[in-house]
């Protein structure tokens, strides 16, 4: 029975919530970028009901084109799945799966909503309520890079190979900033369980919007003070997520202008589609993580959450579903931000990316950890120790900035 | 030519840390998107847009009203106000046609016909619209003002055969054209 429930949860949350968000984000991407570029985008594909004897074709909500991702999917399924002669077959076949699977596995620790009660049985809306949520996500999500690297290498052709190598280098330079940037948040909540983190945010204000639920252990001043390290962490984390999901402005593994098609040049049909899906699934999970950690996850905020989660109709506690809807709305909003960024910022140069990762974000995240620690520990320390710590932090920050600037200085020309 | 050294623009602090520039960029893009959604994109009016961006959505809207007088669409044969078919089957257009799209079978005008003195008219006239490149040379070369490029551009067919316009179709597209020189009329 328990296993059966778990199976239902896995299927429902992964295949009915996360996976459908992929075509939805593809559709949004195409429509939004079209609007940004003064175009229309895909607006024709509806359900061809006339084929089944109905009078009119159906465009959902009066918007055509919502079925476009399905049409694309069918197209990709029906294409010839061509395997070039020169590839390393086993890895060539393994790579697409390695890109999609991790993104979908990470979905299992994301809390989608408050528990649902049905027939006296309460079920949490999270597949695996692990106590090491973010760590699990980082561990699994970094496997994605294996997929890309193996794809690049096994294609046995130069441009895909360069794409694969680039993705490795990019991953190394961003993984550290990604991991370090979230430490202040974990320090603040004192918990690694994402469900608890969201619950705390619902009770005492989102990390970036701490405006309600003040009490003795969560005074407003401390929360407002922590807003600054939280904002820095949010910035670094978001940018690192962009790099992690290979989105513009960091889509080096597949930049068309330099690498033909990047790591998936040699792929066609559904294998290519799996890379595509993997990219968008990673984007969905990335947004879900940002929303969960910084923007209150499923909570609506302003103290309404306990009321929503207690909503029930004849023994059916449907509050969790409302929270699920709120969560999805937030994730979609963040995905729209992803798209806005893609169509606004041009691609970075490769060395700029490395510099941003190693010289700026790594140091900034490190300093941010100390800053957050100081703010979190301040209520328990004496004034002198606090000021000493602040002084130390200032000195370290100044030293890091100085080192960064010195490393930037151009070497003197020997010959004028 | 002397080398001109261009000074790179001095960046302010806000521009150097890149973040403010990013935010500016986001708002720029968003403003553009909102404008586009409201159909107020630059040039939307001139391009007769559908109200979303500058795009005219084709089957519902079309450009017909804005087609210029010199537009070169499908070539077609014309009759004049006397109901005479202008073509005398001289085959000049067939010979000049660069992609060899035109095929003419000349025929004789029987002596009972009031226009018997013209002697020839096409028994069959076919233009393969798959081959036609709309260059307009047929119109230019025609000594009888019989073939003209019209404004029709929607030429559809589900087979190669359907894409060949025969004589009947060509006259249907061309219709009656007035004001041409009627050199075969009796002098008064």
């Amino acid at each position: 029975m328990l296993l059966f429930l778990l199976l239902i949860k896995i299927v429902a949350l992964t295949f009915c919530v996360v996976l459908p968000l992929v075509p939805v984000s593809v559709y949004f991407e195409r429509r939004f970028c079209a609007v940004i570029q003064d175009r229309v985008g895909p607006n024709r594909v509806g359900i061809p009901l006339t084929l089944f004897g109905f009078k009119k074709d159906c465009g959902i909500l009066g918007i055509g084109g919502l079925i476009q991702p399905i049409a694309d999917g069918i197209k990709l399924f029906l294409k010839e799945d061509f395997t070039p002669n020169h590839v390393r077959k086993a890895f060539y076949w393994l790579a697409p799966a390695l890109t999609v699977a991790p993104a979908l596995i990470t979905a299992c620790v994301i809390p989608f909503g408050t528990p649902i009660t049905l027939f006296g049985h309460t079920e949490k809306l999270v597949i695996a309520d692990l106590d090491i949520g973010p760590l699990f996500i980082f561990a699994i999500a970094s496997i994605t890079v294996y997929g890309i690297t193996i794809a690049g290498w096994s294609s046995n052709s130069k441009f895909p190979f360069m794409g694969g190598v680039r993705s490795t280098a990019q991953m190394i330079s961003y993984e550290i900033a990604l991991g370090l940037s979230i430490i202040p948040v974990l320090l603040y909540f004192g918990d690694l369980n994402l469900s608890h983190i969201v619950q705390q945010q619902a009770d005492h204000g989102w990390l970036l919007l701490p405006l309600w639920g003040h009490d003795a252990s969560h005074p407003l001043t401390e929360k407002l003070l922590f807003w600054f390290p939280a904002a820095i962490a949010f910035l670094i984390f978001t940018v690192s997520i962009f790099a992690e999901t290979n989105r513009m402005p960091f889509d080096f593994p597949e930049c068309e202008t330099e690498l033909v098609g990047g790591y998936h040049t040699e792929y066609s049909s559904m294998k290519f589609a799996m890379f595509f899906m993997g990219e968008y699934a990673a984007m969905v999970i990335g947004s879900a993580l940002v929303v969960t950690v910084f923007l209150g996850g499923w909570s609506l905020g302003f103290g309404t959450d306990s009321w929503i989660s207690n909503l029930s109709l004849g023994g059916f506690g449907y509050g969790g579903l409302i929270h699920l809807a709120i969560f999805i709305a937030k994730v979609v909003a963040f995905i729209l931000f992803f798209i806005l960024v893609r169509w606004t910022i041009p691609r970075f140069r490769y060395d700029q990316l490395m510099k941003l990762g190693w010289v700026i974000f790594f140091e900034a995240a490190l300093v941010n950890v100390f800053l957050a620690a100081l703010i979190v520990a301040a209520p328990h320390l004496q004034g002198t120790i606090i000021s000493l710590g602040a002084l130390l932090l200032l000195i370290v920050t100044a030293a890091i900035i100085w080192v960064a600037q010195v490393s930037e200085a151009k070497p003197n020309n020997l010959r004028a | 030519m002397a080398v001109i050294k261009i000074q790179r623009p001095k960046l302010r602090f806000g521009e150097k840390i890149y973040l403010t520039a990013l935010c500016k960029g986001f708002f720029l893009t968003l403003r553009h998107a909102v404008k586009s959604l409201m159909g107020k994109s630059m040039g939307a009016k001139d391009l007769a847009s559908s109200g979303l961006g500058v795009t005219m959505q084709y089957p519902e809207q079309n450009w017909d009203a804005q087609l210029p007088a010199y537009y070169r669409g499908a070539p077609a044969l014309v009759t004049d106000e006397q109901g005479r078919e202008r073509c005398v089957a001289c085959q000049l257009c067939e010979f000049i046609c660069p992609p060899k799209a035109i095929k003419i079978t000349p025929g004789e005008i029987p002596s009972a016909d009031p226009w018997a003195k013209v002697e020839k008219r096409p028994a069959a006239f076919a233009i393969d619209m798959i081959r036609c490149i709309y260059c307009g040379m047929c119109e230019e070369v025609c000594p009888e003002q019989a073939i003209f490029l019209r404004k029709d551009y929607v030429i559809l067919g589900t087979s190669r055969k359907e894409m060949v316009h025969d004589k009947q179709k060509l006259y249907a597209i061309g219709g009656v054209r007035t004001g041409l020189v009627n050199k075969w009329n009796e002098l008064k």
Side-chain angles (χ1 to χ4, degrees), chain B residues 98-130:
Chain B
K100 296 190 168 42
I102 302 177
K103 195 169 177 114
I104 303 171
T105 315
E108 200 178 332
I109 300 180
S111 50
D113 196 286
W115 295 104
K117 64 175 173 185
V118 181
E119 291 182 359
K120 270 167 79 187
R121 66 182 174 199
F125 198 115
I127 303 182
D128 188 348
M129 293 313 294
I130 296 176

Side-chain angles (χ1 to χ4, degrees), chain A residues 38-81:
Chain A
D38 287 341
R39 294 184 288 117
V40 173
N43 70 338
R44 297 276 162 179
V45 186
I47 302 170
L49 287 179
T50 38
L51 287 183
F52 308 109
F54 286 87
K55 280 247 172 70
K56 272 185 81 175
D57 286 337
C58 174
I60 296 172
L61 306 173
I63 311 168
L66 270 176
I67 314 297
Q68 182 75 38
I70 296 174
D72 285 347
I74 292 173
K75 178 199 77 174
L76 284 163
F77 260 116
L78 296 180
K79 270 192 169 181
E80 184 192 358
D81 196 354

Side-chain angles (χ1 to χ4, degrees), chain A residues 169-185:
Chain A
Q170 179 180 330
M171 189 57 73
I172 292 170
S173 33
Y174 272 88
E175 203 88 297
I176 298 175
L178 189 70
L180 276 178
S181 65
I182 206 171
I183 288 180
V185 181

Side-chain angles (χ1 to χ4, degrees), chain A residues 90-304:
Chain A
F91 295 107
Y92 182 83
W93 279 76
L94 182 67
L98 265 184
T99 329
V100 182
L104 294 180
I105 292 173
T106 46
C108 76
V109 293
I110 303 278
F112 288 92
T114 40
I116 294 179
T117 311
L118 192 59
F119 306 126
H121 180 86
T122 305
E123 194 60 48
K124 282 182 183 170
L125 273 188
V126 49
I127 297 170
D129 201 11
L130 293 185
D131 282 335
I132 51 161
L135 298 187
F136 178 80
I137 288 184
F138 293 152
I140 301 295
S142 47
I143 293 178
T144 314
V145 76
Y146 281 95
I148 295 173
T149 312
I150 287 178
W153 172 75
S154 69
S155 291
N156 205 2
S157 138
K158 62 184 173 236
F159 288 123
F161 181 69
M162 282 181 201
V165 170
R166 280 182 175 201
S167 108
T168 324
Q170 179 180 330
M171 189 57 73
I172 292 170
S173 33
Y174 272 88
E175 203 88 297
I176 298 175
L178 189 70
L180 276 178
S181 65
I182 206 171
I183 288 180
V185 181
L186 305 179
L187 277 177
Y188 179 72
F189 290 121
D191 205 329
L192 270 165
N193 187 319
L194 285 174
S195 305
H196 297 172
I197 288 179
V198 177
Q199 190 59 53
Q200 275 201 47
Q201 293 193 62
D203 294 341
H204 304 293
W206 305 350
L207 202 56
L208 291 178
L209 196 68
L211 296 178
W212 59 89
H214 320 302
D215 57 23
S217 56
H218 298 86
L220 181 63
T221 46
E222 192 192 321
K223 281 197 280 190
L224 285 182
L225 210 56
F226 192 77
W227 190 88
F228 292 98
I232 297 172
F234 174 68
L235 189 73
I236 298 173
F237 191 76
T238 310
V239 174
S240 303
I241 284 284
F242 276 101
E244 173 107 0
T245 53
N246 294 324
R247 287 283 297 183
M248 274 294 220
F250 303 115
D251 59 344
F252 292 100
E254 48 183 325
C255 50
E256 296 86 0
T257 41
E258 296 157 36
L259 297 181
V260 193
Y263 60 90
H264 52 54
T265 306
E266 306 284 349
Y267 284 85
S268 56
S269 180
M270 208 50 207
K271 287 218 237 17
F272 164 74
M274 278 172 90
F275 283 120
F276 201 68
M277 249 167 63
E279 186 193 320
Y280 278 90
M283 185 169 128
V284 171
I285 296 297
S287 329
L289 192 60
V290 173
V291 166
T292 303
V293 174
F294 292 99
L295 300 171
W298 42 254
S299 97
L300 186 61
F302 302 100
T304 53

Side-chain angles (χ1 to χ4, degrees), chain A residues 35-36 38 43-44 344-345, chain B residues 22 29 32 36 41 54 57 60:
Chain A
V35 165
I36 287 172
D38 287 341
N43 70 338
R44 297 276 162 179
T344 301
I345 305 170
Chain B
L22 275 188
T29 318
H32 198 101
S36 166
S41 306
V54 294
Q57 299 199 34
E60 291 87 6

